[in-house]
Amino acid sequence: MMNQLIKTSISDFKLVFRDPSLRLFLIMPFLALAVVNLLLPYLIENYEGVTEYVPYVLMAAALQMSTMFGFIYCMVLIEEKDTEVAKVYGVLPISKTGFITFRLMIPIIFSVIFTLTIMKAQPFYEFPLIPSLLVSVLAGLIAPLFALVVTVLSKNKMAGMTWYKLFNLLIVIPLVAFFIPSDYTNLFGLIPTHWIFQSMNDLILGKQFVLNISIGFILTMGLLSFLVKRFSKNHFS
């Protein structure tokens, strides 16, 4: 069964490289890296007032790989439903939750690596390795969360695009918390990315981030557990 899972993951990537619209999304993380490491230093050097926005650009950039994989995989999974390939996977003698979990490990791994690269390569702050890795893992979990919630809510690719736009906006909305009175900050607490942004902000300010990162993991893992079960129940039948 492990060979079948590996073949399925390879098939996912082949689909990405065959589809021009999906290939285009592969550029996004590298653009984010270029913005953080090349464009931002230039803007800081030449324009006043840019420095104060660096943390927020960095926070948004750290989620680009997760966002990209979230979109790619929701399109892959929705296409499986449209073509009824999902029903073929449904007859495999393996755990359905294990099957989808394994498939989503690839976007998680790549998202973690990219987020960690962003955090360690950026020239503005010295982030310790272990806290950076924890934030990167939490950010990486946004990819499957994004993919599953859009797939569960979508009946076809057109609906998937609509839900993608909505959730793409939703995951960056918690940045607003940094521009409103602190009393209202936790209004965004039900959105997992809020805790990623708050954890990164703690690291930037040199504060303890354990509480924020812990809440983020508990919330994200709880949502993922629910979505994997819901997905496994409906997707393969």
Side-chain angles (χ1 to χ4, degrees):
M1 286 302 102
M2 182 61 70
N3 288 337
Q4 180 60 50
L5 292 172
I6 293 173
K7 288 179 181 178
T8 303
S9 297
I10 293 173
S11 176
D12 291 341
F13 269 86
K14 286 181 178 179
L15 178 61
V16 171
F17 285 103
R18 285 199 303 268
D19 190 323
S21 63
L22 296 183
R23 284 203 305 268
L24 183 63
F25 271 77
L26 296 174
I27 301 172
M28 289 173 54
F30 300 100
L31 288 178
L33 194 60
V35 167
V36 169
N37 285 68
L38 301 176
L39 181 59
L40 266 184
Y42 170 79
L43 293 176
I44 289 170
E45 185 176 343
N46 290 278
Y47 299 96
E48 294 183 6
V50 174
T51 303
E52 63 181 296
Y53 295 102
V54 167
Y56 317 120
V57 174
L58 184 59
M59 292 172 192
L63 286 175
Q64 288 307 301
M65 182 67 88
S66 295
T67 303
M68 180 201 77
F69 269 118
F71 173 76
I72 288 174
Y73 268 74
C74 75
M75 291 295 106
V76 169
L77 295 173
I78 290 170
E79 181 167 330
E80 284 183 1
K81 287 198 297 186
D82 289 346
T83 59
E84 298 190 346
V85 171
K87 291 182 179 180
V88 177
Y89 293 147
V91 301
L92 295 176
I94 58 173
S95 164
K96 303 303 179 290
T97 56
F99 179 71
I100 189 59
T101 299
F102 182 92
R103 289 180 70 184
L104 292 174
M105 285 304 298
I106 289 179
I108 292 173
I109 291 169
F110 276 102
S111 298
V112 170
I113 292 171
F114 175 80
T115 306
L116 186 60
T117 300
I118 281 275
M119 294 187 69
K120 298 300 290 183
Q122 53 78 31
F124 309 106
Y125 310 104
E126 289 290 336
F127 293 134
L129 178 59
I130 299 303
S132 298
L133 181 58
L134 289 173
V135 172
S136 299
V137 171
L138 184 54
L141 293 174
I142 298 299
L145 188 66
F146 200 127
L148 289 175
V149 72
V150 172
T151 304
V152 166
L153 293 172
S154 304
K155 294 183 178 180
N156 51 55
K157 282 190 174 182
M158 187 64 69
M161 288 294 294
T162 302
W163 283 113
Y164 166 77
K165 293 174 183 177
L166 175 62
F167 281 99
N168 196 36
L169 175 63
L170 189 64
I171 65 173
V172 297
I173 280 179
L175 287 175
V176 174
F178 297 104
F179 302 94
I180 61 176
S182 57
D183 292 343
Y184 302 102
T185 295
N186 288 334
L187 290 175
F188 302 96
L190 292 178
I191 305 175
T193 51
H194 170 74
W195 303 104
I196 298 172
F197 298 151
Q198 293 298 320
S199 297
M200 291 184 69
N201 189 56
D202 288 341
L203 293 179
I204 289 169
L205 298 177
K207 297 165 60 177
Q208 285 292 330
F209 80 123
V210 174
L211 178 60
N212 284 328
I213 199 76
S214 298
I215 295 173
F217 271 109
I218 292 170
L219 175 61
T220 303
M221 293 303 295
L223 289 172
L224 273 175
S225 177
F226 169 77
L227 286 168
V228 166
K229 290 177 182 177
R230 175 76 180 274
F231 177 90
S232 300
K233 182 179 179 180
N234 299 328
H235 187 72
F236 300 106
S237 58

